């Protein structure tokens, strides 16, 4: 054995073919032999040629067996040294794994000598670098041992254990195991130590662990966010980078985490790191984390500082890291729904920065983010006015409308729509100051605000007292339908006759005073209606904002979760164009408030209301989708987890009613305008310039309300046709139920040739069908869904189709042999149908004549 110590003897021993004997002796149960053989091997295996022979003779497997069975600690330690000397190559790892070496090596991390502990941790850490071997580490039970190693006094051992745990955490199962074995608590303890030792490795491991949503929640439960934030002040830039990465991960899908980071002072530290120019990796992680923080509506006020806004704007054009430019713009996009930020953006040079980016960037993502930013910023009247004056921005947005990228095209169109909204005269100057509101007007505003607050409180109490659902909103929909029906009946509103103008001049003081009194009284009544319009508009805008901030944004965050409670598609179905409506009405409200604040008896308001009318046509999309949205929300609430989630959102500190109540407010808004305009016209003299403006506004809004209602009816009929495509079976070749432009007019039973058919009358054809059983494939689908609430569906088997083009209808008189019958004839032939009653026949004929004519 002593011969092995000499370098020359190592080759001689190899030539004497001593290795088979040494490998054989490793099987000895004699502890002294085990110790001497392993000690000799530690010297011999320093030679590369010897390593190859030893591996070939299955020496690794014998070493692993010895570690598992020997009671000699020195022999075990020497065996570990031998394995380490062989190097952590793929072949070495393969042989160790096959021999279950990790299972016997892992316990030495906590029970072996210092050297054994160090070698074991290094060895296992080397396995975790290779994904193909990571499962062997997990199965060996090494994770609890690695966590124990975090308490070691040896900094190198801790670093190696952290590296191993960080690599293992890329697998979700391993990540969960680390948390369940208190690994995260141990890491947090290291971060709280006064020295910098091991903090970089700890931050690396935590950054990986916090990709896991359960680990993110665990960090919040431990109130550990401030510990992560504190690492942003580390002297080691690598630790700061990984701490920013960890914060980025923990804030990806949690508003609570965003709030906690901000509360712990993380915003300023992240901004400081994001804006530095020495370290691109640190700047990137910190900036992405800042983008996440900007999503939290509760903390957006902390961004409303001139130095913060200026720094973000300057960095979009001056940062040396060009690849970060989209993220600076994204941060501003997330903040740009705040009124104060919109003003700061302009005042801090945001417009000039936007012009520079527009004229130089060809990056598709930058174009998209910039379009979003301009869409939001143009809600501010002054911004909108200045953006309209810039030909470069208008030209580029116009060109981006025709790009092949659908997202870029859609967003550029949205920006241009907002920019087309009219500006108030006060938007033309930066030095605009709001006029002092007269005391009487202020009193009216306060009175109306109290009234609206009482209405909201009543709605909140009703919502709490009764579980809201789709059914609870049918009454509200019915009241809206009544308003639409009344407007349809009247081509124009009945106006109070204006005060007749006398041919004879009024000369007496008494008549002058009386005239002034009547005018003042009329103006007072008009102001009350205008204030009601303004205050209800403000309440409406606040409701739309609550829908977005209180419900939509948290749901979008929930959709990113590992087990999402709701999908992105479902969120789109529920909220559709809520954000678009919010922007339009925010612009309308701003203009309305400015008009009313300086209103006098000679002022007009109708001309301004007219400017809003064209934008109201987008309500078709919202109204058409409303029933689908509420039905979807109701079905989601049947899941207890989602119902609990929705309760938490309702009780959040953000002001706002229940989601069901908020969802119906856009459906009610246009009819409300009609009623208020009616009242405004009545309170305006016919000789006043505003009378014509208000009358035109009323006519236009009424027309749009009827148009939206008509489109809703068309949409419902189209949806019904789509539904029929699934329940009319056995269609002949080339026959389709759902066709572009096809609408369902009526369905019911009719008799023909002594056979009873279920007939579907469309606007272009008649389908004859007969009731049939539900197909087996549909039954299987229903059983998979396991939804007890799916109502039974009647299915129909297709018999024949009759085209209505060129067809004629003949009605049989009451005294004829077929009193309840009518015939439909065409070039193909004729069909005689018999209805159940005279009334039923009249209904069929009424619908038929609509389309035959």
């Amino acid at each position: 054995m002593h011969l092995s110590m000499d370098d020359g003897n190592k080759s001689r021993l190899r030539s004497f073919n001593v290795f088979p004997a040494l490998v054989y002796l490793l099987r000895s149960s004699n502890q002294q032999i085990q110790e001497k053989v392993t000690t000799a091997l530690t010297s011999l295996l320093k030679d590369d040629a010897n390593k190859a022979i030893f591996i070939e003779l299955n020496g690794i497997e014998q070493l692993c067996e010895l570690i598992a069975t020997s009671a000699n600690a020195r022999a075990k330690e020497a065996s570990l040294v031998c394995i380490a000397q062989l190097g952590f190559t793929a072949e070495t790892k393969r042989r160790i794994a096959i021999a279950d070496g990790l299972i016997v090596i892992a316990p030495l991390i906590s029970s072996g000598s210092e050297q054994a502990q160090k070698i074991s941790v290094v060895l296992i850490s080397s396995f975790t670098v290779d994904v193909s071997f990571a499962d062997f580490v997990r199965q060996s039970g090494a994770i609890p041992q690695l966590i124990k190693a975090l308490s070691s006094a040896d900094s190198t051992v801790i670093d190696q254990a952290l590296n191993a745990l960080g690599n293992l955490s890329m697998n979700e199962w391993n990540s969960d195991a680390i948390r369940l074995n208190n690994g995260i608590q141990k890491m947090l303890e290291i971060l709280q130590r006064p020295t910098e030792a091991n903090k970089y490795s700890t931050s690396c491991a935590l950054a990986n662990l916090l990709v896991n949503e359960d680990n993110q929640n665990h960090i919040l439960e431990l109130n550990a966010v401030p510990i992560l934030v504190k690492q942003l002040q580390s002297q080691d830039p690598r630790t700061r980078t990984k701490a920013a990465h960890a914060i980025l991960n923990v804030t990806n899908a949690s508003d609570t985490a965003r709030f906690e980071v901000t509360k712990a002072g993380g915003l300023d530290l992240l901004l400081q790191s994001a804006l530095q120019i020495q370290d691109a990796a640190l700047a990137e992680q910190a900036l992405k984390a800042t983008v996440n923080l900007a999503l939290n509506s509760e903390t957006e006020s902390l961004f409303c500082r001139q130095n913060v806004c200026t720094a973000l704007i300057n960095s979009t054009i001056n940062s040396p890291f060009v690849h970060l430019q989209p993220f600076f713009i994204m941060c501003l996009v997330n903040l740009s729904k705040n009124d104060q930020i919109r003003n700061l953006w302009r005042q801090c040079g945001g417009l000039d920065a936007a012009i520079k980016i527009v004229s130089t960037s060809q990056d598709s993502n930058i174009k998209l983010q910039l379009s979003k930013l301009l869409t939001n910023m143009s809600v501010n009247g002054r911004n909108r006015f200045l953006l309209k004056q810039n030909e470069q921005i208008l030209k580029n947005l116009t060109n981006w409308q025709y790009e092949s990228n659908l997202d870029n095209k859609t967003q550029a169109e949205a920006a241009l729509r907002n920019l087309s909204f009219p500006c108030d005269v006060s938007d033309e100057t930066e030095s605009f100051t709001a006029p002092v509101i007269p005391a009487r007007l202020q009193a009216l505003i306060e009175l109306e605000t109290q009234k609206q607050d009482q209405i909201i409180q009543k709605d909140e109490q009703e919502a709490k007292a009764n579980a809201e659902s789709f059914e609870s909103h049918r009454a509200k929909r019915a009241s809206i339908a009544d308003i639409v029906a009344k407007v349809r009946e009247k081509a124009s509103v009945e106006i109070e006759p204006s005060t007749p103008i006398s041919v004879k001049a009024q000369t007496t003081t008494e008549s002058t005073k009386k005239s002034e009194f009547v005018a003042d009284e009329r103006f007072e009544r008009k102001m009350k209606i205008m204030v009601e319009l303004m205050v209800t508009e403000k309440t409406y805008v606040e409701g739309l904002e609550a829908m977005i901030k209180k419900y939509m944004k948290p749901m979008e965050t929930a959709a990113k979760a590992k087990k999402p409670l709701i999908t992105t598609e479902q969120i789109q179905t529920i909220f559709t164009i809520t954000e678009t409506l919010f922007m339009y009405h925010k612009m309308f409200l701003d203009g309305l408030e400015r008009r009313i604040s300086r209103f006098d008896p000679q002022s007009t308001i109708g001309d301004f209301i007219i400017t809003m009318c064209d934008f109201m046509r987008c309500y078709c999309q919202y109204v058409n989708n409303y029933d689908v949205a509420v039905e979807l929300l109701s079905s989601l609430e049947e899941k207890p987890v989602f119902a609990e989630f929705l309760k938490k959102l309702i009780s959040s500190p953000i002001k706002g009613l229940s989601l069901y109540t908020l969802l119906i407010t856009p459906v009610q808004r246009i009819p409300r305008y009609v009623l208020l305009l009616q009242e405004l016209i009545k309170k305006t003299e016919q000789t006043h310039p505003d009378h014509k403006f208000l009358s035109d506004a009323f006519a236009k809004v009424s027309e749009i309300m009827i148009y939206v209602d008509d489109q809703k009816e068309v949409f419902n009929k189209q949806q019904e046709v789509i539904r029929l495509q699934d329940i009319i079976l056995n269609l002949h070749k080339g026959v389709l139920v759902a066709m572009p432009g096809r609408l369902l007019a009526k369905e019911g039973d009719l008799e023909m040739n002594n056979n009873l058919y279920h007939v579907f009358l469309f606007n272009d054809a008649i389908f004859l069908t007969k009731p049939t059983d539900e197909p087996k494939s549909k039954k299987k689908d229903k059983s998979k869904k396991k939804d007890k609430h799916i109502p039974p569906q009647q299915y129909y088997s297709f018999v024949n189709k009759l085209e209505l083009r060129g067809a004629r209808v003949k009605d049989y008189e009451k005294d004829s042999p077929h009193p309840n019958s009518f015939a439909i004839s065409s070039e193909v032939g004729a069909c005689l149908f018999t209805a159940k009653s005279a009334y039923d026949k009249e209904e069929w004929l009424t619908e038929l004549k609509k389309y035959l004519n």
Side-chain angles (χ1 to χ4, degrees):
M1 298 302 172
H2 292 294
L3 292 172
S4 65
M5 305 300 290
D6 183 86
D7 288 342
N9 291 336
K10 291 174 187 174
S11 59
R12 293 190 191 99
L13 288 169
R14 182 171 65 247
S15 64
F16 293 147
N17 205 18
V18 74
F19 278 98
L22 291 173
V23 171
Y24 177 78
L25 288 172
L26 288 174
R27 301 174 187 170
S28 173
S29 58
N30 186 302
Q31 293 184 24
Q32 287 185 339
I33 293 175
Q34 291 172 353
E35 185 178 341
K36 288 180 180 180
V37 171
T38 52
T39 302
L41 284 171
T42 58
S43 181
L44 288 168
L45 292 177
K46 292 177 182 177
D47 186 284
D48 288 341
N50 291 345
K51 291 177 185 177
I53 294 171
F54 185 75
I55 292 171
E56 189 71 25
L57 292 169
N58 297 326
I60 291 175
E61 289 82 349
Q62 293 306 315
L63 289 171
C64 291
E65 180 68 22
L66 188 149
I67 293 170
T69 58
S70 177
N72 188 320
R74 285 193 292 272
K76 285 187 176 186
E77 187 176 309
S79 298
L80 277 174
V81 172
C82 290
I83 291 173
Q85 286 177 332
L86 291 169
F88 304 127
T89 64
E91 177 62 15
T92 305
K93 292 176 186 175
R94 186 185 70 80
R95 286 177 177 269
I96 293 171
I98 291 172
D100 290 333
L102 291 177
I103 295 174
V104 297
I105 292 169
L108 297 177
I109 295 174
S110 57
S111 62
S113 65
E114 282 188 27
Q115 187 178 18
Q117 185 184 55
K118 190 176 292 187
I119 294 171
S120 301
V121 170
V122 171
L123 190 147
I124 288 175
S125 181
S126 72
F127 269 77
T128 63
V129 174
D130 192 331
V131 177
S132 60
F133 291 112
D135 279 346
F136 289 103
V137 178
R138 174 172 60 82
Q139 292 162 10
S140 73
I143 288 176
Q145 303 299 331
L146 289 167
I147 291 169
K148 286 180 181 179
L150 298 182
S151 301
S152 170
D154 189 325
S155 179
T156 304
V157 170
I158 295 174
D159 261 349
Q160 288 295 333
L162 287 166
N163 291 339
L165 292 168
N167 293 335
L168 288 169
S169 64
M170 304 301 286
N171 172 282
E172 191 172 338
W173 195 97
N174 293 339
S175 186
D176 288 338
I178 292 168
R179 181 186 69 255
L180 295 172
N181 283 279
N182 296 323
I184 292 177
Q185 286 97 317
K186 288 288 184 184
M187 293 179 194
L188 292 170
E189 287 172 13
I190 294 171
L191 292 181
Q192 290 175 289
R193 292 173 186 171
T195 63
E196 287 287 326
N198 306 120
K199 289 189 177 180
Y200 167 63
S201 299
T202 306
S203 298
C204 288
L206 282 171
N208 289 346
L209 283 164
L210 290 176
V211 172
N212 181 306
E213 185 187 340
D214 292 327
N215 291 343
Q216 294 168 11
N217 293 332
H218 189 55
I219 284 285
L220 294 174
E221 289 166 5
L222 295 171
N223 297 316
V225 169
I227 299 173
L228 295 178
V229 170
K230 192 174 181 181
Q231 306 317 304
L232 294 172
Q233 298 174 296
S234 170
Q235 297 300 312
D236 186 345
R238 299 177 307 156
T239 302
R240 294 202 300 273
T241 301
K242 284 301 174 181
H245 190 184
I247 291 170
L248 165 64
N249 288 343
V250 83
T251 56
N252 258 336
S254 170
D255 264 336
T256 305
R258 292 166 192 155
F259 179 78
E260 291 297 324
V261 170
T262 309
K263 189 173 78 172
L267 174 58
D268 287 338
L269 292 170
L270 286 168
L271 278 171
Q272 183 181 335
S273 298
L275 299 174
Q276 59 79 47
I277 59 173
Q278 287 80 30
D279 189 332
L282 173 57
E284 180 172 350
Q285 298 302 326
L287 178 56
K288 288 180 178 178
T290 305
V291 171
N292 283 351
L293 295 190
L295 288 167
N296 189 296
S297 56
E298 291 182 65
T299 58
E300 63 185 14
S301 60
L302 295 174
F303 284 89
C304 298
R305 291 175 285 169
Q306 191 160 0
N307 62 324
V308 172
C309 205
T310 302
L312 288 171
I313 290 167
N314 289 342
S315 296
T316 59
I317 52 177
N318 297 327
S319 174
F321 312 122
V322 179
H323 67 289
L324 298 184
Q325 190 178 52
F327 296 104
F328 281 110
I329 302 174
M330 283 171 66
C331 192
L332 288 168
V333 169
N334 290 347
L335 295 169
S336 59
K337 292 166 187 176
N338 179 284
D339 285 336
Q340 196 175 345
I341 288 287
R342 291 186 189 118
N343 278 317
L344 279 173
W345 176 78
R346 179 184 70 255
Q347 294 162 5
C348 296
L351 183 59
D352 292 335
I355 293 167
K356 186 172 181 180
I357 297 169
V358 160
S359 58
T360 58
S361 180
Q362 295 301 315
D363 183 89
S364 179
N365 189 30
I366 289 177
K367 290 178 183 178
L368 175 62
Q369 297 305 327
L370 193 60
S371 294
K372 288 181 179 179
L373 182 65
L374 295 175
T375 301
N376 293 344
M377 289 302 179
S378 58
V379 171
N380 178 285
R382 178 64 178 160
N383 290 346
R384 192 163 64 253
F385 174 79
L386 292 173
L387 288 167
K388 282 182 176 184
Q389 310 307 308
N390 191 275
E391 293 182 6
Q392 183 69 46
I393 283 180
L394 294 176
K395 179 182 176 182
N396 280 64
L397 285 172
T398 303
N399 291 338
W400 295 350
Q401 285 184 109
Y402 304 104
E403 291 207 348
S404 56
N405 185 306
L406 182 60
D407 288 339
N408 284 24
K409 171 184 166 66
T410 304
Q411 197 59 54
E413 289 172 349
L416 287 169
R417 278 198 303 271
N418 278 11
L419 286 172
S420 68
F421 200 90
C423 297
D424 188 75
V425 64
S426 59
D427 294 324
E428 297 177 14
T429 173
E430 186 70 45
S431 59
F432 168 77
T433 54
V436 177
I437 298 176
R440 180 59 186 147
L441 176 58
Q442 186 63 47
L444 287 173
I445 293 171
E446 289 173 2
L447 194 64
E448 184 60 35
T449 302
Q450 289 174 8
K451 177 183 167 185
Q452 292 303 316
D453 286 344
Q454 288 171 358
I455 293 171
I456 290 172
Q457 287 172 8
K458 184 181 176 184
D459 284 345
E460 285 177 334
Q461 288 167 359
E462 288 178 358
K464 288 176 182 176
N466 306 300
E468 287 191 295
S469 66
F470 181 49
E471 294 299 323
S472 68
H473 288 266
R474 289 191 183 277
K476 294 180 181 178
R477 288 299 302 275
S479 65
I480 297 167
D482 289 343
I483 298 171
V484 177
K486 287 176 183 176
V487 173
R488 285 180 186 276
E489 288 173 8
K490 298 183 179 182
S492 61
V493 66
E494 294 179 7
I495 310 298
E496 283 185 357
S498 57
T499 307
I501 303 172
S502 175
V503 178
K504 183 179 178 181
Q506 299 289 335
T507 55
T508 65
T509 305
E510 184 182 347
S511 61
T512 303
K513 286 183 178 178
K514 185 178 179 181
S515 175
E516 288 173 355
F517 176 77
V518 171
D520 286 346
E521 188 180 23
R522 188 183 288 272
F523 177 68
E524 179 85 2
R525 292 202 303 267
K526 182 176 180 178
M527 279 303 300
K528 285 181 181 179
I529 305 301
M530 286 171 55
V531 166
E532 183 181 353
L533 171 63
M534 183 183 74
V535 173
T536 56
E537 186 68 17
K538 186 176 182 181
T539 303
Y540 178 53
V541 169
E542 287 173 350
L544 292 172
E545 188 172 25
M547 251 206 283
I548 295 165
K549 290 186 176 181
K550 185 168 184 168
Y551 296 104
M552 190 176 84
K553 293 302 177 185
M555 285 184 187
E556 286 176 346
T557 299
K560 296 176 185 175
K562 181 174 68 175
K563 296 177 182 177
L565 299 171
I566 188 169
T567 66
T568 303
E569 292 74 20
Q570 288 171 329
I571 294 169
Q572 178 59 33
T573 300
I574 292 171
F575 295 98
T576 53
I577 59 166
T578 301
E579 286 188 294
T580 301
L581 293 179
F582 170 70
M583 284 189 282
Y584 286 167
H585 285 276
K586 183 71 175 70
M587 292 186 282
F588 180 58
L589 175 62
D590 288 347
L592 201 60
E593 287 177 334
R594 294 191 182 194
R595 280 284 182 112
I596 292 177
S597 68
R598 58 175 186 264
F599 208 76
D600 61 44
Q602 303 307 314
S603 300
T604 60
I605 193 71
D607 54 329
F608 178 70
I609 296 173
I610 289 171
T611 62
M612 177 64 182
C613 292
D614 289 335
F615 293 87
M616 290 184 190
R617 293 190 179 274
C618 70
Y619 270 84
C620 283
Q621 185 179 347
Y622 188 96
V623 173
N624 288 349
N625 184 73
Y626 171 75
D627 290 349
V628 178
V630 180
E631 284 175 346
L632 172 59
L633 184 61
S634 181
S635 67
L636 286 170
E637 271 201 291
E638 290 173 7
K639 301 173 185 176
V641 180
F642 184 85
E644 187 62 31
F645 169 69
L646 198 57
K647 279 182 183 177
K648 287 181 181 177
L649 296 185
I650 292 171
S651 60
S652 75
I654 300 173
K655 183 182 176 183
L657 297 164
S658 76
L659 184 52
Y660 283 107
T661 303
L662 291 172
L663 282 170
I664 200 171
T665 51
V667 180
Q668 299 168 318
R669 193 58 192 159
I670 296 182
R672 185 71 179 269
Y673 287 137
V674 170
L675 296 176
L676 289 169
L677 283 167
Q678 282 180 328
E679 294 303 311
L680 280 172
I681 292 170
K682 290 177 182 178
K683 303 300 185 286
T684 306
E685 292 185 27
Q686 288 184 341
T687 55
H688 195 288
D690 204 21
H691 190 279
K692 184 175 188 319
F693 287 137
L694 289 168
S695 298
D696 291 346
F698 172 78
K700 204 163 186 178
V701 174
S702 299
E703 176 197 340
I704 290 169
M705 183 176 71
I706 292 169
Y707 169 77
V708 170
D709 191 60
D710 288 344
Q711 291 301 306
K712 172 64 177 171
E713 187 177 350
V714 170
F715 176 81
N716 288 343
K717 289 180 177 180
Q718 289 172 337
Q719 293 299 111
E720 187 64 18
V721 172
I722 293 170
R723 183 185 70 84
L724 293 177
Q725 181 72 47
D726 288 333
I727 66 172
I728 299 179
L729 311 174
N730 306 318
L731 292 165
H732 295 175
K733 187 177 180 180
V735 176
L736 293 173
V737 177
M739 296 280 286
R742 177 171 286 171
L743 304 174
L744 178 66
K746 183 174 172 57
E747 67 169 293
D749 293 336
L750 289 173
E751 187 180 314
M752 185 178 75
N753 298 332
N754 295 322
N755 286 313
L756 189 65
Y757 295 96
H758 193 78
V759 180
F760 294 93
L761 171 62
F762 299 103
N763 58 337
D764 63 338
I766 291 175
F767 279 43
L768 301 181
T769 70
K770 287 207 167 190
T772 188
D773 294 332
E774 182 179 18
K776 292 181 180 178
S777 60
K778 301 287 183 182
K779 289 180 181 178
K780 286 181 181 178
D781 290 343
K782 194 185 290 184
S783 64
K784 285 179 184 177
K785 291 178 183 176
K786 296 180 181 179
D787 192 342
K788 298 177 182 178
H789 301 286
I790 297 177
Q793 177 65 65
Q794 177 62 60
Y795 289 85
Y796 301 93
S797 181
F798 178 79
V799 177
N800 208 344
K801 173 187 173 185
L802 177 64
E803 296 284 353
L804 291 184
R805 172 173 278 196
R808 298 177 300 280
V809 64
K810 179 182 178 182
D811 180 14
Y812 286 85
E813 300 297 330
K814 292 179 182 179
D815 54 354
S816 70
H818 310 287
N820 294 332
S821 299
F822 59 91
I824 300 175
S825 58
S826 66
E827 295 177 358
V828 180
C831 297
L832 179 65
F833 293 105
T834 301
K836 292 181 288 187
S837 64
Y839 178 79
D840 190 34
K841 182 184 81 168
E842 286 304 316
E843 283 193 331
W844 281 101
L845 289 173
T846 300
E847 292 300 324
L848 273 165
K849 287 172 183 177
K850 285 181 185 176
Y851 302 112
L852 291 177
N853 293 332

